């Protein structure tokens, strides 16, 4: 499954929330604090959803991922100060953040699946004009991809596609969110 499509479904809503929080009448510290909460919650939700869907697909529903890292602090600071600096590229940075949360969830699910004796595969496809590093990682049906296979950089639009046991046809059918989480 290519979970990068999830970003397109939520980016407009996240950007609206950022616009509401980034009211110039609010102090930068308060804006930054509220943006940290927003990015932590959005990133955590994206991570959890993609991890759970991968875990279902890989047959490891009993596992829990490591969780996302704390890179939302820097993004919150940059988004907060975008009001005064006029940084209009914040939407691209938010898109990168959401994509990275998803890729991190895919990586952790893949690692847990391998440790549980399952053998899912992953593919990384380049889209459009890509950098040399992304082209070097592009591959189809990699059984045991290294951690860097899931890494992204600013503006990275590569498709990272995971395949388990329930998505062999390209669709993840009958996915049910775990009730115990």
């Amino acid at each position: 499954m290519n979970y990068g499509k999830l970003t397109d479904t939520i980016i407009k809503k996240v950007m609206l929330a950022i616009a509401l929080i980034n009211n110039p009448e609010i102090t930068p510290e308060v804006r930054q604090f509220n943006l940290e909460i927003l990015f932590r919650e959005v990133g955590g939700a994206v991570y959890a959803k993609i991890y759970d869907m991968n875990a279902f697909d890989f047959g490891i529903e009993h596992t829990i991922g490591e969780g996302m890292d704390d890179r939302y602090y820097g993004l919150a600071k940059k988004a907060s100060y975008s009001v005064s600096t006029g940084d209009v590229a914040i939407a691209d940075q938010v898109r990168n953040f959401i994509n990275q949360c998803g890729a991190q969830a895919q990586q952790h699910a893949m690692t847990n699946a391998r440790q549980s004796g399952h053998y899912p595969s992953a593919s990384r496809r380049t889209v459009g004009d890509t950098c040399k590093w992304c082209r070097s990682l592009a591959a189809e049906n990699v059984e045991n991809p290294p951690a860097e296979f899931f890494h992204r950089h600013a503006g990275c639009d590569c498709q990272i596609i995971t395949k388990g046991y329930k998505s062999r046809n390209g669709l993840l059918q009958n996915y049910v969110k775990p009730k115990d989480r």
Side-chain angles (χ1 to χ4, degrees):
M1 298 290 305
N2 175 15
Y3 296 99
K5 295 176 184 177
L6 174 66
T7 303
D8 294 333
T9 65
I10 64 172
I11 189 72
K12 288 181 184 175
K13 294 175 185 172
V14 173
M15 293 309 297
L16 284 172
I18 291 170
L20 286 172
I21 293 170
N22 263 349
N23 182 339
E25 296 176 5
I26 300 173
T27 65
E29 295 80 22
V30 173
R31 287 195 311 256
Q32 182 176 338
F33 176 74
N34 287 316
L35 287 165
E36 287 173 8
I37 294 169
L38 172 70
F39 292 137
R40 183 178 57 237
E41 294 300 316
V42 168
V46 168
Y47 179 95
K49 177 73 170 183
I50 292 177
Y51 184 90
D52 285 344
M53 292 179 81
N54 274 277
F56 175 80
D57 187 22
F58 300 163
I60 57 167
E61 296 95 334
H62 60 282
T63 65
I64 297 174
E66 296 174 30
M68 58 177 250
D69 59 25
D70 62 355
R71 69 182 74 202
Y72 57 88
Y73 285 117
L75 181 59
K77 184 174 185 177
K78 192 159 190 159
S80 173
Y81 287 104
S82 69
V83 173
S84 60
T85 62
D87 187 358
V88 293
I90 199 71
D92 291 336
Q93 294 167 355
V94 171
R95 178 179 294 281
N96 290 336
F97 169 74
I98 294 170
N99 284 337
Q100 185 58 39
C101 290
Q104 207 170 26
Q106 287 175 297
Q107 176 190 351
H108 293 164
M110 183 74 70
T111 300
N112 287 344
R114 300 287 296 168
Q115 291 172 349
S116 298
H118 296 261
Y119 301 97
S121 64
S123 298
R124 185 177 178 126
R125 298 181 186 148
T126 59
V127 178
D129 187 29
T130 55
C131 69
K132 183 179 178 181
W133 182 75
C134 285
R135 285 192 305 270
S136 73
L137 291 175
E140 293 287 327
N141 298 320
V142 178
E143 291 267 336
N144 192 13
E148 71 176 9
F149 188 85
F150 296 95
H151 292 185
R152 293 181 171 272
H153 57 79
C156 182
D157 61 354
C158 291
Q159 294 179 349
I160 301 173
I161 302 164
T162 53
K163 297 178 192 167
Y165 305 107
K166 299 175 184 171
S167 67
R168 294 292 183 200
N169 61 356
L171 301 173
L172 187 61
Q173 296 182 358
N174 302 320
Y175 169 73
V176 177
K177 182 177 180 179
K179 293 175 178 35
D180 60 348
R181 291 190 203 166

